[in-house]
Amino acid sequence: MQQTITSSSNGLQPSKAANSLTNALSKAVFLGAALLSAALVVASPAQAQSLKGGVELSGSTRVGRPNGVAPSGTPVKFSGAIAKDGTGQFSGIMSGQTPKLGKIKLTRDASGTYSTPAITNFIDFGSVAFGGDTGKLTFDLDSSTFERVLPTDSLKLVSNGFTGVFKFNGNTVGSGTGSFSATRVAGTSFDYDLNVGAPVPEPLTILGTMAAAGLLGVGKRELDKSGAEKSDDVV
Amino acid sequence: MERSVLRPVWPTKFFHLYLIGTVTGLAIVYLTLVDRIGNESLFGNGCLFWGGCLYLLWQKRRSFSFGSDPVSSIIGSLIVTLVLVKTVSLPTEATLLAFPFTSVLGITLLASGWRRLGQFKHTLLILFFLGLPQLLIGAFLDISPVTAKVSAFMLWYTGFDVVLKGVFVYLPGGSIEVYRGCSGLGNMLYMLGISVMFSVFLPIDRYKRLLAICVAVILGFFINAIRVALLAVLVANSTEAAFDYWHLGGGSLIFSMLTVLIFGCFYILLIKWQTQTKRMDKGRVEEGSVDRDLIEPQRIEL
């Protein structure tokens, strides 16, 4: 008489063939994942670059229907020289470039809020060198809302904070936030101030992490020295 | 009649090497991607948390029981494939925050199935706190007004003529706006992860552990509130360079280190407290047994 007992957690005895198949599958996936991991490390994300910093653009713009109390639409058209001031990576990117701004068509909804639909290539930064490559950098504006602040003699257009994405050669390289404000100078002529950049990051924690690693070592020694009784959780 | 033979279902002699090798590969992919998007904080955390995870796996390698079932294997394979495919295209920060936990969950499902997932609970716990709280809580919660309020209170208490309006803190000479990034939520979640690491590697009583986690999160908030108050003072009285240094430059590093150092010292005190309590209890028990010996009447046979 032959009796083979298999150790299985639930007491069931899966067939030999099923075990072998699952075992082979697991090993194949493990090896596949390891190989794919190595391949990804070697070959992948040169495109995983991201922008840091921001840029402030200012100049003159023309805003339609400035005398209306609450016009149904307000076009904002940019023309003329643009002053620029970049921080972070933008300080390098922006040197020698003249950005171009797209037209914003603000429309008023029933509640009186002005908004613009998403604008592709809202800011065209031109051809720039970034991440060891040269290409076109643009900013796509998400749909945003604006406020139109009266009185008409000092009319102001102020964005409620907008978002968008930076694209380098059509590939997204980072999300962006920004603000826009334009103040009437005379007639349809306005002075504007446009800020756009990467969101303010959290403060760095790398020194904290190193301190934590050191303290874990100190704590482990302390725990061993004290001869504390180890629970199930002890590693 | 032949003898009965106890034979394991899985030949597990070198299986742990497959597991540790694959997790190491995933850690390298993760750290490479984080390095390429230039997130130094996440890179540092990644090194610590993945290192802890691999250390745990290596320490327990002999005790793992392997053997998955087809359903767990398929789910695990799908998770691993999905995670790796997501990293082939441009990885967003959200993908990178979810990557550690989900990828290792897939691998452990493949290795041992969901029935034996408990043996990887510490590994999964550590990797969960590497990124997922930031993804699940950080994206939806904005505590900037609370931070501004606490910072303004600190300034008022120390004698500054401060005015608070929402997230703006005004001082004579300048003002600051507390952005979401500076609200301290990130710092609190970071400290939550660090405290979980401490509680896994330096086990203490459950209540002390809970106390340590609460203290870590509160410390994260208050040290950041002090930083915000300092930044307001710098804006009002100093140069932009000084503000930049303490906001995003080398000065900002000191605050996270200070938070971790205070927490670490507190945790080591908890360990000492626990040791002392146990020694005292042991001493009392021993004294009790000696007293019982003394008090117990002796039978004298006449």
Side-chain angles (χ1 to χ4, degrees):
Chain A
M1 190 177 98
Q2 186 175 5
Q3 188 186 6
T4 304
I5 304 167
T6 55
S7 61
S8 165
S9 63
N10 56 4
L12 295 173
Q13 295 182 10
S15 72
K16 231 177 179 179
N19 280 344
S20 307
L21 186 69
T22 318
N23 196 358
L25 174 73
S26 299
K27 280 185 178 175
V29 175
F30 273 150
L31 285 173
L35 286 172
L36 190 55
S37 303
L40 280 170
V41 170
V42 175
S44 81
Q47 76 269 33
Q49 295 280 353
S50 66
L51 275 173
K52 279 182 184 174
V55 62
E56 183 182 353
L57 305 174
S58 53
S60 294
T61 181
R62 294 204 172 275
V63 177
R65 299 173 195 168
N67 296 319
V69 177
S72 58
T74 301
V76 182
K77 198 175 177 183
F78 301 93
S79 59
I82 298 175
K84 54 190 191 291
D85 183 20
T87 58
Q89 281 172 305
F90 280 94
S91 55
I93 286 172
M94 296 303 296
S95 57
Q97 291 296 330
T98 308
K100 288 175 191 163
L101 299 174
K103 189 177 175 183
I104 304 173
K105 288 177 187 170
L106 295 176
T107 49
R108 188 170 66 91
D109 64 14
S111 65
T113 308
Y114 287 85
S115 63
T116 172
I119 305 171
T120 309
N121 294 347
F122 171 56
I123 308 174
D124 182 352
F125 293 101
S127 182
V128 299
F130 173 62
D133 207 356
T134 304
K136 190 178 173 184
L137 181 70
T138 57
F139 178 75
D140 291 356
L141 179 70
D142 295 339
S143 59
S144 324
T145 58
F146 286 71
E147 275 179 40
R148 192 173 184 274
V149 187
L150 294 169
T152 51
D153 58 339
S154 59
L155 181 68
K156 251 187 170 185
L157 274 178
V158 184
S159 74
N160 295 323
F162 58 76
T163 58
V165 287
F166 288 99
K167 285 186 173 172
F168 182 67
N169 279 337
N171 295 318
T172 305
V173 286
S175 60
T177 57
S179 61
F180 173 84
S181 68
T183 311
R184 189 174 188 180
V185 180
T188 57
S189 181
F190 283 62
D191 278 347
Y192 74 88
D193 197 26
L194 172 67
N195 282 287
V196 63
V200 178
E202 291 278 351
L204 290 175
T205 53
I206 199 142
L207 275 187
T209 305
M210 286 160 74
L215 282 164
L216 275 171
V218 173
K220 190 85 182 158
R221 218 172 34 237
E222 195 64 40
L223 208 62
D224 291 344
K225 202 168 68 182
S226 68
E229 286 179 20
K230 292 185 176 182
S231 69
D232 291 343
D233 293 337
V234 173
V235 178
Chain B
M1 188 177 122
E2 288 182 34
R3 260 176 57 196
S4 298
V5 179
L6 282 171
R7 183 167 56 81
V9 176
W10 302 99
T12 59
K13 200 176 174 187
F14 296 112
F15 214 81
H16 62 266
L17 290 178
Y18 285 105
L19 177 72
I20 295 170
T22 310
V23 174
T24 309
L26 288 170
I28 293 168
V29 170
Y30 177 80
L31 293 173
T32 308
L33 291 173
V34 171
D35 180 49
R36 295 216 173 148
I37 67 161
N39 190 333
E40 290 97 341
S41 295
L42 198 55
F43 185 83
N45 282 1
C47 287
L48 182 70
F49 283 66
W50 278 104
C53 156
L54 287 168
Y55 177 77
L56 281 180
L57 289 176
W58 184 254
Q59 288 290 98
K60 292 183 174 177
R61 67 190 184 283
R62 303 280 178 216
S63 61
F64 288 138
S65 59
F66 295 106
S68 187
D69 55 277
V71 176
S72 299
S73 294
I74 290 166
I75 294 171
S77 309
L78 283 175
I79 292 174
V80 173
T81 310
L82 188 73
V83 168
L84 289 174
V85 166
K86 283 287 274 182
T87 55
V88 170
S89 60
L90 178 73
T92 59
E93 198 162 301
T95 308
L96 288 175
L97 292 174
F99 180 105
F101 178 76
T102 45
S103 59
V104 174
L105 178 69
I107 293 292
T108 47
L109 277 173
L110 270 169
S112 294
W114 66 271
R115 283 172 204 273
R116 300 189 191 99
L117 212 55
Q119 59 188 334
F120 300 106
K121 66 179 177 187
H122 286 139
T123 310
L124 290 170
L125 188 73
I126 286 176
L127 293 178
F128 179 86
F129 284 98
L130 173 54
L132 279 177
Q134 232 172 312
L135 189 65
L136 301 174
I137 304 169
F140 304 105
L141 196 65
D142 185 8
I143 58 164
S144 307
V146 184
T147 310
K149 207 171 271 186
V150 173
S151 299
F153 174 76
M154 284 176 180
L155 288 168
W156 170 80
Y157 197 76
T158 46
F160 286 93
D161 185 14
V162 63
V163 175
L164 174 72
K165 275 184 189 170
V167 292
F168 290 90
V169 179
Y170 294 92
L171 281 173
S175 68
I176 55 159
E177 180 184 358
V178 182
Y179 277 113
R180 203 188 180 112
C182 289
S183 66
L185 186 64
N187 214 22
M188 290 161 79
L189 296 174
Y190 166 71
M191 285 308 296
L192 178 68
I194 294 287
S195 61
V196 168
M197 277 286 279
F198 271 72
S199 64
V200 167
F201 282 94
L202 309 171
I204 49 175
D205 295 344
R206 183 176 294 175
Y207 294 111
K208 289 193 184 75
R209 207 179 296 183
L210 278 174
L211 176 71
I213 290 171
C214 292
V215 166
V217 173
I218 292 167
L219 261 178
F221 176 78
F222 274 100
I223 299 280
N224 184 70
I226 292 170
R227 174 177 157 266
V228 171
L230 176 72
L231 290 174
V233 173
L234 284 174
V235 162
N237 301 305
S238 189
T239 61
E240 199 177 324
F243 174 81
D244 286 343
Y245 176 76
W246 288 101
H247 185 212
L248 295 170
S252 69
L253 291 165
I254 293 166
F255 289 96
S256 71
M257 195 177 70
L258 190 69
T259 318
V260 172
L261 281 177
I262 294 172
F263 171 72
C265 292
F266 175 74
Y267 202 93
I268 290 167
L269 278 178
L270 282 181
I271 294 173
K272 282 182 182 287
W273 178 26
Q274 176 170 292
T275 313
Q276 206 169 2
T277 315
K278 278 186 179 169
R279 271 188 197 148
M280 282 169 73
D281 289 347
K282 207 176 167 185
R284 249 183 241 128
V285 170
E286 278 169 4
E287 272 176 27
S289 64
V290 170
D291 288 348
R292 270 200 306 278
D293 291 344
L294 289 173
I295 293 163
E296 199 175 336
Q298 291 178 358
R299 182 185 287 179
I300 303 167
E301 288 184 7
L302 295 170

